[in-house]
């Protein structure tokens, strides 16, 4: 795939055109983005996931004990027998971490950096069900998986947009409808951040939300400054060597502000440090407890590979890589490793989640650094043996 080939997923637009005209800007409806898409998961299987302790799920019932009642999973087995016929939605987060066929959907979006993808959330709605008119702060592709959903899109919103009084759900008090579409299985709607939208199920309906993530400016500032502060000593302080005599000792003069500004600029201008922090931050796993990891030594690794073992990315691991001054940086589930440039192709194929086996690893394993890297990633849990 190149940036110039028309993509069915984008309704015949090239990735370059989509990024130029729609991404982060305006909605795009794509009929049959995935022709004849069949949901790899049935509504019953989705309901089954919502009973699991480790899976995040929510139920939104429009006319429950209060309007737009929100219940959080895990749910009891009899939950679904006691729900009304209509007007409720079950939402299950990060299904891609549990169901490989759902994880495969992410590959369709390889024209975007994988570290921008958050998760694939799947909803099931009974007829009439929806989560109310709202906006999200993230880009999302809403792929219709089963049944039909009516999507209405409205105005661009911001932090001042009036919301209904609700302890937990952010439902818009005003919705200015601009467009309305009925989506069939395989149809997909792209929505940029902050665009009001309102989906309602026409019949039993499943929607896959491929959601993206972008750190807020506040998060970048607080986390990055915490990160650099670890490397600063107590001796590094505000300094006013060469200051002029104070004419009014109670005044904070502009030169003090200038000194602070240079102090900050100096600390914030190290791109290498910024990259290290960002890679670690963006690869923090959502469910660190699912990484596990296993104690293994090099002899055991070789043994396993000789017996035909396949090494794959742990579905809960997040991986990314970068290059600085000829070296390679690998970010694996919140850690970063600086590696020699000759490991670039290995690092790329680890990040691309290509299956690793004796054939494609043999040459690498002769390199001590490469062998050590593979072992560390297995111990940390970012790579695991595929069960076959
Ligand atoms: C849904 O699938 O019901 C909700 C998705 C969304 O509006 O973000
Ligand atoms: Co939404």
């Amino acid at each position: 795939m190149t940036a110039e080939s028309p993509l069915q997923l984008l309704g015949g637009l090239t990735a370059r055109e989509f990024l130029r005209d729609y991404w982060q800007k305006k909605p795009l409806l794509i009929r049959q983005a995935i022709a004849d898409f069949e949901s790899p998961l049935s509504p019953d299987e989705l309901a089954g996931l919502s009973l699991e302790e480790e899976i995040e799920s929510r139920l939104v019932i429009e006319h429950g004990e209060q309007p737009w009642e929100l219940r959080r999973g895990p749910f009891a087995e009899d939950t679904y027998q006691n729900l009304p016929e209509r007007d409720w939605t079950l939402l299950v987060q990060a299904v891609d971490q549990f169901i490989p066929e759902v994880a495969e959907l992410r590959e369709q979006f390889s024209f975007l950096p994988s570290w921008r993808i958050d998760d694939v959330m799947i909803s099931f709605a009974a007829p009439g069900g929806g989560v109310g008119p709202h906006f999200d702060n993230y880009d999302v592709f809403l792929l219709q998986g089963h049944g039909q959903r009516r999507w209405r899109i409205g105005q661009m919103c911001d932090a001042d947009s009036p919301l209904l009084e609700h302890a937990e759900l952010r439902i818009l008090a005003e919705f200015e409808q601009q467009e309305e579409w009925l989506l069939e299985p395989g149809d997909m709607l792209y929505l940029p951040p902050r665009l009001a939208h309102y989906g309602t199920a026409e019949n039993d309906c499943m929607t896959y939300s491929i959601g993206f993530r972008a750190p807020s400016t506040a998060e970048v500032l607080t986390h990055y400054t915490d990160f650099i502060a670890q490397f600063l000593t107590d001796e590094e302080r505000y300094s006013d060597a060469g200051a002029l005599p104070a004419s009014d000792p109670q005044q904070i003069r502009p030169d003090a502000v200038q000194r602070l500004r240079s102090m900050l600029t100096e600390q914030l201008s190290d791109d290498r440090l910024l990259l290290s922090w960002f890679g670690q931050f963006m690869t923090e796993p959502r469910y660190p407890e699912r990484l596990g990891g296993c104690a293994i030594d090099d002899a055991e690794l070789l043994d396993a590979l000789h017996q035909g073992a396949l090494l794959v990315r742990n579905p809960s691991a997040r991986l990314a890589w970068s290059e600085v001054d000829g070296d390679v940086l690998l970010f694996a589930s919140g850690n970063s490793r600086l590696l020699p440039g000759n490991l670039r192709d290995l690092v790329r194929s680890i990040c691309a989640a290509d299956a690793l086996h004796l054939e494609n690893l043999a040459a690498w394993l002769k390199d001590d650094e490469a062998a050590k890297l593979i072992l560390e990633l297995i111990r940390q849990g970012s790579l695991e043996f595929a069960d076959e």
Side-chain angles (χ1 to χ4, degrees), residues 243-284:
L244 297 173
S247 51
D248 176 342
Q250 277 72 45
Q251 185 188 7
I252 298 175
R253 282 192 321 224
D255 55 303
V257 177
Q258 285 312 321
R259 285 194 194 90
L260 284 169
R261 164 149 340 284
S262 339
M263 189 171 171
L264 286 174
T265 317
E266 193 188 326
Q267 293 306 325
L268 294 178
S269 59
D270 187 334
D271 281 356
R272 212 178 153 114
L273 215 51
L274 187 57
L275 169 64
S276 289
W277 166 76
F278 190 59
Q280 292 181 34
F281 184 73
M282 292 309 279
T283 59
E284 283 290 346

Side-chain angles (χ1 to χ4, degrees), residues 12 33 194 234 276 365:
R194 296 181 301 283
D234 214 27
S276 289
L365 292 176

Side-chain angles (χ1 to χ4, degrees), residues 131 134-136 140 142 151 191 197:
V131 299
H134 67 279
F135 71 97
D136 302 301
V140 65
L142 298 157
W151 280 108
L191 299 179
H197 53 284

Side-chain angles (χ1 to χ4, degrees), residues 1-314:
M1 183 189 86
T2 71
E4 316 305 336
S5 28
L7 298 178
Q8 181 179 351
L9 187 81
L10 299 175
L13 293 178
T14 66
R16 189 184 299 282
E17 288 164 340
F18 172 75
L19 290 172
R20 185 190 61 206
D21 300 336
Y22 295 94
W23 179 246
Q24 300 241 302
K25 294 180 185 151
K26 55 184 190 191
L28 178 66
L29 170 71
I30 306 139
R31 294 287 180 199
Q32 292 305 289
I34 303 185
D36 307 317
F37 178 68
E38 272 185 45
S39 170
L41 215 64
S42 69
D44 278 349
E45 286 165 326
L46 189 73
L49 292 180
S50 75
L51 313 183
E52 309 260 348
E53 188 75 43
E54 54 176 2
I55 298 184
E56 280 171 66
S57 57
R58 289 168 293 160
L59 263 171
V60 177
I61 308 165
E62 193 168 339
H63 314 283
E65 283 171 16
Q66 60 186 87
W68 304 108
E69 181 189 342
L70 172 71
R71 294 191 205 163
R72 291 186 193 276
F75 296 107
E77 238 165 284
D78 60 0
T79 306
Y80 295 97
Q81 291 141 29
N82 300 324
L83 284 174
E85 294 275 297
R86 324 180 24 99
D87 301 344
W88 58 268
T89 303
L90 162 72
L91 305 121
V92 183
Q93 218 68 51
V95 181
D96 51 312
Q97 294 201 23
F98 305 94
I99 311 287
E101 290 82 359
V102 176
E104 280 170 24
L105 265 180
R106 298 167 60 115
E107 291 163 21
Q108 302 264 358
F109 298 86
S110 61
F111 55 91
L112 290 159
S114 63
W115 48 264
R116 283 281 268 121
I117 302 184
D118 188 6
D119 69 345
V120 183
M121 176 185 85
I122 306 181
S123 67
F124 170 80
V131 299
H134 67 279
F135 71 97
D136 302 301
N137 281 313
Y138 307 100
D139 308 82
V140 65
F141 290 91
L142 298 157
L143 171 67
Q144 191 55 22
H146 175 84
Q148 296 164 308
R149 182 180 283 266
R150 187 171 298 284
W151 280 108
R152 299 179 174 95
I153 56 167
Q155 73 280 22
M156 271 293 177
C157 301
D158 59 30
D160 297 328
S161 302
L163 302 178
L164 291 189
E165 252 179 64
H166 193 291
E168 291 170 292
L169 291 177
R170 291 160 26 96
I171 299 174
L172 284 166
E174 290 156 19
F175 185 75
E176 297 154 27
Q177 187 176 320
Q178 316 284 331
E179 303 258 16
E180 175 178 323
W181 296 295
L182 187 66
L183 271 72
E184 306 276 346
D187 292 348
M188 187 167 78
L189 178 60
Y190 162 73
L191 299 179
R194 296 181 301 283
L195 183 69
H197 53 284
Y198 187 11
T200 40
E202 289 287 300
N203 33 49
D204 280 2
C205 151
M206 281 173 96
T207 302
Y208 285 58
S209 299
I210 298 92
F212 285 73
R213 52 211 278 267
S216 69
T217 310
E219 272 177 308
V220 172
L221 277 174
T222 51
H223 289 260
Y224 185 53
T225 49
D226 276 354
F227 177 79
I228 42 183
Q230 313 169 64
F231 307 111
L232 297 173
T233 64
D234 214 27
E235 284 64 43
E236 287 166 271
R237 274 172 193 270
Y238 173 81
S239 152
D240 45 10
L244 297 173
S247 51
D248 176 342
Q250 277 72 45
Q251 185 188 7
I252 298 175
R253 282 192 321 224
D255 55 303
V257 177
Q258 285 312 321
R259 285 194 194 90
L260 284 169
R261 164 149 340 284
S262 339
M263 189 171 171
L264 286 174
T265 317
E266 193 188 326
Q267 293 306 325
L268 294 178
S269 59
D270 187 334
D271 281 356
R272 212 178 153 114
L273 215 51
L274 187 57
L275 169 64
S276 289
W277 166 76
F278 190 59
Q280 292 181 34
F281 184 73
M282 292 309 279
T283 59
E284 283 290 346
R286 185 184 190 116
Y287 300 121
E289 64 284 1
R290 286 184 53 85
L291 284 187
C294 87
I296 184 170
D297 64 26
D298 36 4
E300 287 163 335
L301 171 62
L302 270 182
D303 212 35
L305 291 172
H306 276 286
Q307 285 173 31
L310 277 185
L311 271 175
V312 291
R313 179 176 69 88
N314 180 324

